[in-house]
Amino acid sequence: MGIKIGIDLGTTFSAAAVLDKRKGIPVIIPNRDGERITPSVIQFQGKNVIVGSEAKDAYESGESGCTSAFKRSMGSDEVYCTIDSVGYTPVKLSAIMLRHIKNEVEAVTGETVDEAVVTVPAYFYHKERSATLDAARLAGLKVKQLINEPTAAALAYSIDHWRENARIMVYDLGGGTFDVTLIQMKSGGKIESLRTKGDHTLGGKDWDARLTSLIESKAEFEAGLTVNEYPQLHNAAMRAAESVKKQLSTKNIASLRLSSEDFGKFKTEIGIDEFNKATFDLLKRTTTLCEQLLSELNLSWNDITDILLVGGSTRMRQVSAFLKERSGHTPLMHVNPDEAVALGAAICVWSPQPEYNKGVAGSISHENPSKHTGRVGTETKLHNALSIMPSDVCAHAMGVIAVSADGKKYINKTIVPANSIIPVKCAESFHYYTGEKDDNELEIYMLQGEKTPLESEVIGKYTVCGIKHDPKNNPTVVSIQYSYDLNGMVHVQVRQQGKNADLKLIEDPVPKDMSKFSLPAEKVTASAQPQQLNVVMAVDVSGSMNGYPLKEAKKAMCHFVDKLRNYPGTPQVGVVAVSDRSIVVMKLDSDLNKCKIAINSIEEEMAGILNGADPFEDIRRMLRNAVGRRWGIVLADGRWDDQPKAVRAAKMCHELGIDIVGIGFGTADEKFLKDISSGEIESMFVGCNELVESFGKIAQEIGETSPKRLGRSNKVTAVSTWRAIGETQ
Ligand code: ADP
Ligand code: MG
């Protein structure tokens, strides 16, 4: 039997660790050169591949064939660098790095590596995680799990500092990225990561760049050397910067000497105050993110039990000093902050694995942290190491491209909310109009993130096959289930309502051009989408309608209902009578005969004598969840008591995509009619005996703005027929 290890595959440095069961703690496995961390730098020299410090030195002195920081491009299939005409993708380079680590561990321990946990940044999307797993497979590693870096760091910290209900802020400042994560320790040995935030363009390299400028300005001020005149000065200053930065993490003054052929020699000193001043805004950016994270969780610095420093850049003394000033806590630092992540991963190889949640988001425990038990013995440490269960949250929501309920635009309908504890399964149901065959297809675009379809990461496209058609032409309901597995990767399953097997999915390449989803949905879908028609007719039954007017109105409404018989699908009609109250005479129904009976049952003054009420709330309620085109036709006579309120209520209908058309006669107010109408069909002001004709005209116009049955096909772009049930965006 071999060993199980934890690997921190870092952007600048990587490390490996193993759980030492005798000591009850994880320990770093140094490489063959005795270094505890290995630079993530590779040099290709003919057939030789050099990894680590030697490659880093070569890189810094400008030798060819070197590559670094490829982790930043993880998830992209494009070639990251071409050396001697060979193109290398980030996956290939990461695989070389991982294989190197595996080989070093095996050489140093004399054991084979059986299994590994590999760490990834919490913000990694599905694609980057999947690329990391691919790299591990290529490197010949069996991966038990991917774990988020901050969770791993907290895990390493927890075996010594376990306090139930403690809230730990993990502050990770590495070479090129900054991340802050809030972790909650919970009963039953659970560690839950609550939320994470970061700036992936901020890291040690930015401090190096500031130092480079500082050195250059000193060279100019003290020796009259300028970069314009001496181009080599810039590279020399850059190379010196990191060493100055490191010196300043233990000393107050760092000295440096630069030399090159073009400018000769230059010697100077940089003091800690100068350095701190030149980089203060960078540091401030990190604490601002910490404070944003706290405020998103409605917490303050006082609610934090400890701050844990992770990442090589937290060795800069300004980090803990400023954090202490802002938060009042003295930050804790592992002896080697760049090792904590690998140590945590080594514990995770032994951790019990959590079960699938059903859409539970990470929750904050408001109980006080238990008392710290002081020194932790070896046995307890081992017990902790083997029993603490880390659980990550997904940093990104997962959704699907759907059509908004008003049918006007494409939206990203969230299925799994961000910050749900993984592994998690969530499902949402959608209406879908099938064609008339029994093998309808549907396209699914999986989105990661909460922004609009174009701004979110499209992580997959699938064709769902074999969706059955409803003989009554009703829209089919399909349920889409997403599951985030323990590695933070997402899987999809689709099922048709009423069926007990999943539908077949075919994975398609994600199209490069997604721009159609920025167009109004109807424009793309009009020809393909058979639209269900839903109409609510509301008639004024106040005293002024008594006799002939109401008789004409009922006749006109029945005439309208008869016209609907020529419509595609199964149009639905509802009827409302309004005067001092609004009464639903008939709910939305597709039985048109029943509807005519309901219209004929309307009586004078059945809802009072005056015009105290308006029908818009009833119209809205009746049509809110209806699928397809939604119309409210309002017949008004005389003036309504609270016209501004009625206009406001009508506008709420418009906002939901419900079209209103107002028909007035008698003493109705023409401006009011215009205000309640939503525009597609103009409001009308007519005489009593023109009512039948006007309703006929409306029926025709509704027909013209409603797509025809002929457009139906059995393969429709799913998104064009997706409709989020009850969605109001
Ligand atoms: P990553 O997670 O990005 O791989 P690390 O956590 O290993 O990176 O951090 C690397 C960064 O830490 C580099 O920018 C490096 O310059 C910086 N660093 C390492 N040691 C020190 C030190 N003693 N003082 C200041 N910065 C340091
Ligand atoms: Mg790191």
Side-chain angles (χ1 to χ4, degrees):
M1 231 186 66
I3 51 171
K4 298 175 195 284
I5 62 168
I7 300 177
D8 171 9
L9 180 62
T11 313
T12 29
F13 286 97
S14 296
V18 68
L19 184 67
D20 180 333
K21 290 201 176 163
R22 275 179 308 121
K23 295 185 190 152
I25 50 166
V27 292
I28 289 287
I29 308 170
N31 61 26
R32 271 183 278 192
D33 296 328
E35 298 162 332
R36 299 172 65 82
I37 56 175
T38 302
S40 308
V41 186
I42 303 172
Q43 184 182 26
F44 296 93
Q45 259 187 350
K47 286 213 162 108
N48 272 351
V49 182
I50 301 160
V51 180
S53 292
E54 199 184 326
K56 184 174 189 248
D57 291 344
Y59 180 69
E60 283 168 0
S61 50
E63 281 181 35
S64 63
C66 299
T67 180
S68 74
F70 35 86
K71 178 173 163 185
R72 291 183 153 218
S73 300
M74 209 59 166
S76 146
D77 297 329
E78 279 163 30
V79 166
Y80 180 78
C81 63
T82 304
I83 294 166
D84 295 335
S85 317
V86 183
Y88 295 93
T89 59
V91 167
K92 186 84 213 293
L93 296 167
S94 303
I96 293 174
M97 197 62 219
L98 284 170
R99 185 178 285 278
H100 174 80
I101 293 171
K102 177 175 181 277
N103 290 346
E104 293 291 299
V105 166
E106 291 180 345
V108 169
T109 61
E111 309 232 33
T112 48
V113 172
D114 278 346
E115 211 176 18
V117 161
V118 179
T119 62
V120 286
Y123 62 84
F124 257 22
Y125 285 91
H126 175 94
K127 257 203 233 159
E128 289 98 321
R129 289 170 193 266
S130 152
T132 307
L133 287 178
D134 287 344
R137 260 191 297 274
L138 280 176
L141 277 171
K142 182 178 163 217
V143 176
K144 179 198 172 198
Q145 189 188 325
L146 300 179
I147 181 177
N148 289 347
E149 288 161 10
T151 314
L155 194 53
Y157 154 92
S158 68
I159 53 170
D160 267 333
H161 299 84
W162 181 261
R163 291 173 74 182
E164 212 157 275
N165 300 320
R167 282 183 288 268
I168 316 298
M169 178 184 272
V170 181
Y171 175 106
D172 181 354
L173 188 59
T177 55
F178 169 68
D179 285 293
V180 54
T181 305
L182 204 67
I183 306 259
Q184 170 92 62
M185 294 186 174
K186 290 204 166 156
S187 58
K190 281 199 194 133
I191 294 191
E192 274 178 23
S193 112
L194 294 173
R195 192 175 280 242
T196 186
K197 242 184 146 49
D199 182 339
H200 307 126
T201 60
L202 180 64
K205 65 168 182 43
D206 297 292
W207 272 258
D208 298 346
R210 292 291 168 84
L211 272 173
T212 306
S213 308
L214 195 61
I215 296 168
E216 284 169 6
S217 57
K218 285 204 166 212
E220 184 172 357
F221 188 71
E222 293 168 13
L225 303 173
T226 65
V227 176
N228 278 348
E229 210 174 331
Y230 303 102
Q232 289 180 7
L233 182 65
H234 179 68
N235 271 356
M238 232 166 59
R239 278 200 296 277
E242 196 185 2
S243 111
V244 169
K245 179 179 75 174
K246 287 185 177 166
Q247 288 182 54
L248 291 175
S249 65
T250 51
K251 297 195 293 191
N252 288 341
I253 294 176
S255 50
L256 70 142
R257 287 162 193 274
L258 308 184
S259 66
S260 102
E261 278 163 17
D262 69 348
F263 64 83
K265 284 193 168 53
F266 170 65
K267 197 177 122 191
T268 190
E269 286 183 337
I270 291 182
I272 185 83
D273 291 342
E274 279 175 290
F275 173 56
N276 289 349
K277 198 166 151 225
T279 54
F280 181 68
D281 61 308
L282 300 174
L283 188 58
K284 187 87 200 331
R285 268 164 68 188
T286 68
T287 52
T288 302
L289 282 164
C290 296
E291 283 159 10
Q292 274 170 11
L293 178 88
L294 289 174
S295 87
E296 281 170 19
L297 292 166
N298 282 329
L299 297 176
S300 72
W301 286 114
N302 289 339
D303 300 308
I304 301 301
T305 320
D306 267 324
I307 302 174
L308 185 60
L309 299 184
V310 180
S313 297
T314 59
R315 286 213 180 85
M316 295 186 292
R317 288 178 290 161
Q318 52 175 240
V319 172
S320 46
F322 189 56
L323 271 174
K324 182 165 182 203
E325 190 186 312
R326 300 274 335 160
S327 71
H329 297 276
T330 305
L332 300 176
M333 198 199 272
H334 188 273
V335 198
N336 295 314
D338 32 23
E339 295 177 0
V341 170
L343 294 172
I347 300 173
C348 181
V349 206
W350 298 95
S351 302
Q353 293 199 326
E355 302 274 305
Y356 267 96
N357 295 295
K358 286 214 168 92
V360 202
S363 66
I364 302 171
S365 152
H366 288 285
E367 285 170 45
N368 288 331
S370 59
K371 287 254 176 321
H372 196 274
T373 43
R375 278 178 72 87
V376 180
T378 306
E379 224 168 272
T380 318
K381 277 187 190 172
L382 184 63
H383 171 79
N384 283 352
L386 296 178
S387 61
I388 294 173
M389 185 156 76
S391 55
D392 278 329
V393 290
C394 49
H396 310 284
M398 279 296 314
V400 66
I401 299 184
V403 171
S404 59
D406 63 11
K408 291 192 174 149
K409 62 179 180 190
Y410 292 109
I411 55 163
N412 174 1
K413 169 80 181 154
T414 296
I415 296 182
V416 184
N419 297 305
S420 301
I421 296 171
I422 56 173
V424 62
K425 282 185 181 164
C426 296
E428 281 287 333
S429 297
F430 296 83
H431 283 144
Y432 168 54
Y433 283 92
T434 57
E436 281 161 0
K437 292 190 186 163
D438 244 2
D439 58 346
N440 299 280
E441 291 181 354
L442 178 71
E443 288 171 349
I444 289 185
Y445 290 83
M446 288 172 93
L447 299 180
Q448 202 159 20
E450 271 163 337
K451 296 186 181 158
T452 64
L454 283 197
E455 290 165 325
S456 296
E457 182 96 357
V458 185
I459 64 160
K461 176 178 178 263
Y462 297 87
T463 301
V464 185
C465 311
I467 300 173
K468 302 265 180 288
H469 173 66
D470 178 87
K472 287 190 191 145
N473 270 345
N474 287 325
T476 297
V477 177
V478 287
S479 151
I480 302 186
Q481 176 175 277
Y482 284 165
S483 31
Y484 253 109
D485 67 19
L486 214 49
N487 296 329
M489 311 246 312
V490 194
H491 312 276
V492 58
Q493 282 164 285
V494 183
R495 193 170 278 204
Q496 185 163 2
Q497 195 177 52
K499 306 273 185 289
N500 51 14
D502 288 342
L503 291 158
K504 186 177 157 209
L505 295 178
I506 299 169
E507 192 166 359
D508 306 319
V510 175
K512 285 230 163 12
D513 182 12
M514 298 279 294
S515 57
K516 69 174 175 181
F517 297 116
S518 64
L519 302 173
E522 275 180 334
K523 292 223 169 75
V524 194
T525 65
S527 64
Q529 186 174 353
Q531 290 262 26
Q532 180 85 6
L533 181 65
N534 308 280
V535 185
V536 173
M537 284 186 281
V539 58
D540 185 338
V541 289
S542 60
S544 59
M545 289 288 288
N546 286 2
Y548 180 66
L550 187 60
K551 208 170 132 227
E552 278 305 291
K554 281 156 69 168
K555 197 161 115 196
M557 286 159 77
C558 286
H559 175 69
F560 176 83
V561 170
D562 281 332
K563 289 230 159 197
L564 294 186
R565 295 184 200 276
N566 304 326
Y567 275 72
T570 43
Q572 301 195 92
V573 183
V575 183
V576 172
V578 63
S579 47
D580 279 333
R581 297 186 304 279
S582 172
I583 294 178
V584 177
V585 181
M586 192 183 84
K587 287 193 187 145
L588 219 51
D589 201 304
S590 57
D591 183 339
L592 300 183
N593 290 333
K594 195 169 134 195
C595 178
K596 282 171 74 174
I597 295 170
I599 292 169
N600 285 319
S601 76
I602 295 174
E603 285 173 15
E604 289 148 3
E605 298 175 11
M606 68 189 283
I609 309 173
L610 302 173
N611 284 106
D614 73 69
F616 295 110
E617 197 186 324
D618 279 329
I619 293 180
R620 184 160 52 92
R621 261 194 286 134
M622 289 163 80
L623 292 174
R624 189 173 48 201
N625 289 334
V627 178
R629 301 299 303 271
R630 299 170 300 169
W631 291 90
I633 302 174
V634 179
L635 187 65
D637 171 53
R639 295 183 73 88
W640 290 4
D641 296 352
D642 193 347
Q643 301 205 157
K645 178 170 169 270
V647 171
R648 280 198 302 278
K651 293 240 150 80
M652 284 173 74
C653 290
H654 307 169
E655 277 161 22
L656 275 179
I658 297 170
D659 288 305
I660 303 288
V661 44
I663 307 177
F665 63 106
T667 54
D669 174 344
E670 206 168 337
K671 177 169 183 308
F672 169 68
L673 288 181
K674 278 212 168 69
D675 287 346
I676 59 168
S677 298
S678 54
E680 275 219 56
I681 298 177
E682 296 218 331
S683 62
M684 298 180 187
F685 198 77
V686 296
C688 215
N689 41 16
E690 292 165 273
L691 271 178
V692 173
E693 191 192 327
S694 322
F695 263 88
K697 215 167 126 198
I698 291 171
Q700 189 186 344
E701 287 195 35
I702 287 180
E704 278 165 9
T705 55
S706 204
K708 305 283 187 299
R709 185 187 195 102
L710 295 173
R712 197 171 274 233
S713 93
N714 78 321
K715 184 175 180 189
V716 206
T717 302
V719 289
S720 67
T721 51
W722 277 114
R723 197 168 286 262
I725 295 175
E727 188 60 45
T728 56
Q729 283 181 57

